[in-house]
Amino acid sequence: MDFYNLMFTAIAMVVLSGLMLVLARKIMSKKPNLPPGPPGWPLVGNLFQVARSGKQFFEFVGDLVPEYGPIFTLRMGTRTMIIITSADLAYEALIQKGPVFATRPDENPTRTIFSCNKFTVNSSSYGPVWRSLRRNLVQNMLSSSRIKEFHNLRSTAMDRLVNRLKSEADANDGVVWVLKNVRFAFFCILLAMCFGLDLDEETNERVDHMMKKVLITLEPRVDDFLPILGIFFSKQKKRAIEVRKEQLETLVPLVKRRKLARGDETSVISFSYLDTLFDLEIEGRKALSNTEIVTLCSEFLNGGTDTTATALEWAIARFIENPDVQSKLYDEIVKAAGKDRKIAENDIEKMPYLNAVTKELLRKHPPTYFVLSHAVTEPSKLAGYDIPLGTTVEFFTPPIANDPKIWSDPEKFNPDRFITGAEDADITGVTGVKMMPFSVGRRICPGASMATIHLNLMIARLVQEFEWSAYPEDGKVDFSEKLEFTVVMKNPLRARIKPRV
């Protein structure tokens, strides 16, 4: 009896070992061939390596590019990130294979709250909801003809900005803070475009303060990558719910106020983004809820404020560092508008140097070093590696914009590169990727045209009104960076201004 038991046990062990070997081979055969990357720790991957490096995430990634090249993998807790850093691979993924790379990865719980479960243009998955939301925004709000309708709004906001800067300079021996002033000007423009209401400055500031809270609340946390640690972040989760409640309490009254004013011919602003949302139907819904409307309005405000304001601060910094660029731009402004007339929007189209300055600015200082995260709609391949469903695909843009194979002397800020005809770049990426400040392909930022108009106009007006110089007088501009939703100057820029007239 013992003999048979031993025989049975031995046979069972052999069979079990064989089954385990077959199963292991089967698992290994299904394991995706991901791009290489730095070795990580069990369970957490590279997450704690990033956290303990003392570097910002874009700095950590930048340090890996020389070793791992144009495509590599980072394992961030439960998230697998594939980082793409080359123009060729970006073009292949986002243009040639655009539909496959056009969706978004799952959002973390906090972002899900504020995006109303991915019910925004930027966060929604590739499909009918995204198409409806984007079509409504682009056709009804961001078309060239519609943008032109708001020219008086922009002109008024810039007049107010100029007066604010003059008042601040008068009180501070000619010195002003750049970012906070230009940011508030952009925010006021977008708030009026969004809600169609002529709001007083106190209300503008209150809404602006609330939206800043939203951005701070959305900053990544460790539990976004390791949900098992969520129990240790209960206070932060509670705070997120409170901020969301405050956001609704602040914006819903503006929604109701605009709804009551619809059709009123005496309204100061005859059209707004909000008007397009009242009658919008998506997937058979009769009407959007106030919560969904607030979510879309918040996206409109946040998407166009910090990005353009940050770019303008970098522009002023570059003018201070390169006074010859500032002088050359001022000469073009005088040629286009004279010394007595305010620069107008139709002047901008005839100012090649201004457009070159803006393009060079976006090359050197894109709003962020990572475009919004992508994911694939079906398993795909890139550079011979597998891109599985559920992975997060990140496009890291500095190596593209500073690639010496694409650009001559890429480290230099040189708008003339776009004037001589020797170099150029299609910002949309359709004819090739050389820079991608607004991403490229199907998920390119829908507000790119409006942002460029706002940036061109604000740059021209501020250079027309003021001569910008360093503060302190003998000081040098600190071009150190940090990430605060956008890539901003680590030390906010203070500058001395001198009215030109």
Side-chain angles (χ1 to χ4, degrees), residues 271-497:
F271 182 80
S272 72
Y273 179 43
L274 190 54
D275 296 337
T276 74
L277 301 178
F278 288 137
D279 302 317
L280 182 61
E281 292 187 10
I282 297 177
E283 291 194 327
R285 305 183 194 194
K286 291 184 178 180
L288 302 185
S289 67
N290 281 338
T291 301
E292 290 169 332
I293 288 174
V294 164
T295 298
L296 292 168
C297 287
S298 298
E299 177 187 39
F300 185 85
L301 295 175
N302 280 340
T305 299
D306 290 271
T307 49
T308 43
T310 299
L312 193 54
E313 183 184 36
W314 287 114
I316 299 299
R318 288 296 180 179
F319 294 153
I320 294 172
E321 183 195 43
N322 302 276
D324 57 319
V325 173
Q326 184 177 180
S327 296
K328 192 172 180 178
L329 179 56
Y330 179 69
D331 290 342
E332 185 179 62
I333 293 168
V334 172
K335 183 178 179 181
K339 291 189 176 183
D340 300 322
R341 178 173 66 82
K342 290 187 296 187
I343 196 79
E345 293 187 24
N346 56 4
D347 295 321
I348 289 174
E349 300 170 3
K350 300 170 287 187
M351 298 175 63
Y353 192 68
L354 170 62
N355 285 279
V357 167
T358 299
K359 187 172 281 190
E360 180 72 342
L361 178 69
L362 292 172
R363 182 186 75 85
K364 290 298 295 176
H365 303 288
T368 180
Y369 285 155
F370 292 92
V371 303
L372 294 178
S373 302
H374 284 251
V376 291
T377 56
E378 60 186 49
S380 184
K381 281 187 175 292
L382 196 65
Y385 297 107
D386 292 329
I387 312 294
L389 290 170
T391 55
T392 299
V393 184
E394 300 284 3
F395 294 86
F396 185 54
T397 64
I400 298 173
N402 293 289
D403 188 345
K405 296 177 182 178
I406 298 175
W407 303 100
S408 62
D409 198 5
E411 294 301 321
K412 183 179 180 181
F413 182 82
N414 178 26
D416 285 322
R417 72 174 75 244
F418 297 113
I419 296 294
T420 61
E423 296 181 89
D424 202 358
D426 173 14
I427 290 183
T428 67
V430 173
T431 60
V433 172
K434 292 185 177 181
M435 54 189 285
M436 42 194 296
F438 303 110
S439 189
V440 297
R442 296 182 179 233
R443 299 306 287 257
I444 189 172
C445 174
S449 295
M450 182 178 71
T452 304
I453 290 172
H454 285 183
L455 197 52
N456 273 332
L457 194 59
M458 193 74 81
I459 287 174
R461 183 68 188 281
L462 291 182
V463 171
Q464 182 184 40
E465 293 282 350
F466 306 109
E467 180 181 350
W468 297 81
S469 59
Y471 174 79
E473 186 174 347
D474 298 326
K476 288 188 176 181
V477 177
D478 180 4
F479 283 90
S480 301
E481 306 163 324
K482 65 178 179 179
L483 186 63
E484 286 184 355
F485 180 65
T486 57
V487 179
V488 302
M489 300 186 75
K490 189 173 184 179
N491 298 302
L493 182 64
R494 296 187 79 187
R496 189 179 299 279
I497 59 173

Side-chain angles (χ1 to χ4, degrees), residues 236-253:
Q236 289 84 345
K237 292 178 181 178
K238 182 179 179 181
R239 176 59 179 162
I241 294 172
E242 290 172 351
V243 172
R244 177 59 165 173
K245 182 181 177 182
E246 181 182 347
Q247 183 186 35
L248 294 171
E249 290 174 345
T250 302
L251 297 183
V252 167

